[in-house]
Amino acid sequence: MTPAAPTPPGVSYVMPVYNETAYIDDAIDSVLGQRYEGEQELVLALGPSTDGTSERVERRAAGDPRIRIVRNPEMTIPVGLNRAIRAATHDVIVRVDAHTELADDYTATAVATLERTGAASLGGLMVAQGRSRFQRAVARAYNSRLGLGGGAYHGSAVEGPAESAYLGIMRRPALESVGLYDERLKRAEDWELNFRLRGAGHLVWLDPALRVTYWPRDTWAKLARQFRATGIWRGELVRRHGGRHPLRYFAPPALVVVAVLSLVVLLLQATGVVTGWASLLLGLVHLGPLAYALLLLALLVTRSSGATLADRAVFAVVIATMHGSWGSGFLRGVVVGARGAVDRSRIES
């Protein structure tokens, strides 16, 4: 008699939710539609939404016993995630966001990889998509090395140990051993958690077979606020952990510093404060902003930037917004710390 196949481990999905009425149903459906044989539950950390999200989520929970709600009045992601994890009943924790959609074999593939590698934290690729012209441009920037600096989960095809894990399929005992997410953070909580996991000797793994659809911010103001807040908290982490960060994180703030110095030198030159050899020497600082401006102009004639000139122009604006907002936020975070800065891109239109 052939022995029965072992039952796959139970999985608890944890999702922080706030003001996501345009995306929440698709996100929930992609979780509940997983082709996975083990037990599953979805624990939603629900903030006090003002756009009807709370009512929609409560109706979904009332009609499906797999959905449970924990309250997150603080509206911070790490607090909400920790409350959802503590309320979860299974030892495999799958983080999902309300702006994401999972492929229907995501969980089965992830659990198999988790067991095959022995990793404590596992992630796949973020595949950004857009609906409007602006959101599609943001998606192209997310999927481009130019936009976010080439993090592995934005397009690597190589499976193996990783610095961090996008979203994350995680082992609960490993999470508990390092104290779960750091609730003092408002952004960059994934990177910081995986930093502590790696420091404790755990393996963090990237599997490019795992692909998650992500819907980015859909207006310029939301994008600018999101990236400034993200930059601030990355700067805060540099204050805490020193230089143990990839060099790509320092490129946008360096660009901002050079641009400011270029403006100062230009003013000094225009007013005659510096002249002659001093002006020529200081004028070298203009080369940085000039090179960046040429890069943005090049995007206007690069087909990968968009199908039409209008698409490419929006893409160039998106790239400049990402770099400038993130870089200026990073400098603030490094110099004065985060001081409770929050991402208001989901609060304000």
Side-chain angles (χ1 to χ4, degrees):
M1 182 176 180
T2 303
T7 302
V11 169
S12 293
Y13 304 89
V14 294
M15 181 193 297
V17 180
Y18 176 75
N19 277 2
E20 297 289 2
T21 188
Y23 300 96
I24 187 60
D25 282 320
D26 289 337
I28 291 176
D29 289 343
S30 80
V31 170
L32 300 183
Q34 289 295 295
R35 293 188 288 106
Y36 182 69
E37 298 300 322
E39 293 184 5
Q40 301 175 80
E41 65 174 356
L42 170 60
V43 186
L44 298 164
L46 185 59
S49 298
T50 58
D51 67 346
T53 297
S54 297
E55 293 78 6
R56 184 169 297 184
V57 165
E58 287 164 356
R59 286 195 298 270
R60 296 290 301 259
D64 194 320
R66 294 173 295 176
I67 302 175
R68 294 192 291 122
I69 295 173
V70 295
R71 300 295 170 177
N72 182 26
E74 294 86 354
M75 297 186 299
T76 66
I77 292 175
V79 171
L81 287 170
N82 285 348
R83 286 181 177 159
I85 291 169
R86 293 186 183 108
T89 58
H90 301 300
D91 280 345
V92 175
I93 303 295
V94 179
R95 175 181 172 174
V96 285
D97 280 348
H99 265 248
T100 61
E101 296 172 27
L102 309 179
D104 59 8
D105 62 346
Y106 179 86
T107 303
T109 301
V111 170
T113 302
L114 202 67
E115 295 182 337
R116 169 171 56 86
T117 62
S121 178
L122 164 70
L125 301 183
M126 171 197 283
V127 183
Q129 295 188 15
R131 295 167 180 165
S132 65
R133 168 178 283 163
F134 184 86
Q135 193 178 42
R136 288 193 298 272
V138 178
R140 285 194 296 276
Y142 266 88
N143 295 331
S144 164
R145 291 182 63 85
L146 180 62
L148 291 179
Y153 63 80
H154 291 294
S156 173
V158 180
E159 181 179 8
E163 168 197 338
S164 187
Y166 174 56
L167 295 182
I169 303 94
M170 299 163 283
R171 299 180 188 272
R172 184 188 189 122
L175 292 180
E176 292 175 341
S177 74
V178 298
L180 304 183
Y181 289 92
D182 187 337
E183 297 185 357
R184 297 170 297 175
L185 302 179
K186 301 297 188 294
R187 302 288 299 179
E189 69 283 343
D190 285 331
W191 185 92
E192 196 277 338
L193 173 66
N194 285 285
F195 177 84
R196 284 186 286 120
L197 285 169
R198 289 188 288 110
H202 295 292
L203 178 64
V204 177
W205 194 264
L206 170 71
D207 183 356
L210 299 171
R211 301 173 67 86
V212 180
T213 298
Y214 173 77
W215 299 95
R217 301 299 189 269
D218 56 4
T219 70
W220 180 87
K222 290 179 181 179
L223 180 71
R225 284 194 289 266
Q226 178 195 18
F227 270 74
R228 179 165 170 79
T230 302
I232 288 172
W233 282 100
R234 180 62 61 179
E236 170 69 25
L237 289 180
V238 168
R239 282 171 64 94
R240 295 186 187 190
H241 301 300
R244 290 175 289 181
H245 292 71
L247 289 177
R248 67 179 183 273
Y249 291 140
F250 297 91
L255 173 65
V256 171
V257 169
V258 171
V260 171
L261 290 176
S262 177
L263 288 174
V264 171
V265 170
L266 186 62
L267 178 62
L268 294 175
Q269 291 171 326
T271 56
V273 174
V274 293
T275 58
W277 285 106
S279 177
L280 289 175
L281 183 62
L282 291 174
L284 294 175
V285 76
H286 300 318
L287 294 177
L290 176 61
Y292 189 72
L294 292 175
L295 171 64
L296 295 179
L297 288 174
L299 295 179
L300 299 180
V301 296
T302 303
R303 292 290 297 177
S304 60
S305 299
T308 67
L309 179 60
D311 291 337
R312 296 192 286 271
V314 173
F315 180 72
V317 170
V318 165
I319 290 293
T321 300
M322 284 181 167
H323 293 167
S325 299
W326 202 98
S328 61
F330 180 96
L331 292 171
R332 176 197 147 169
V334 167
V335 173
V336 302
R339 296 187 177 182
V342 298
D343 175 9
R344 304 188 67 82
S345 61
R346 294 178 181 170
I347 303 173
E348 302 169 357
S349 62

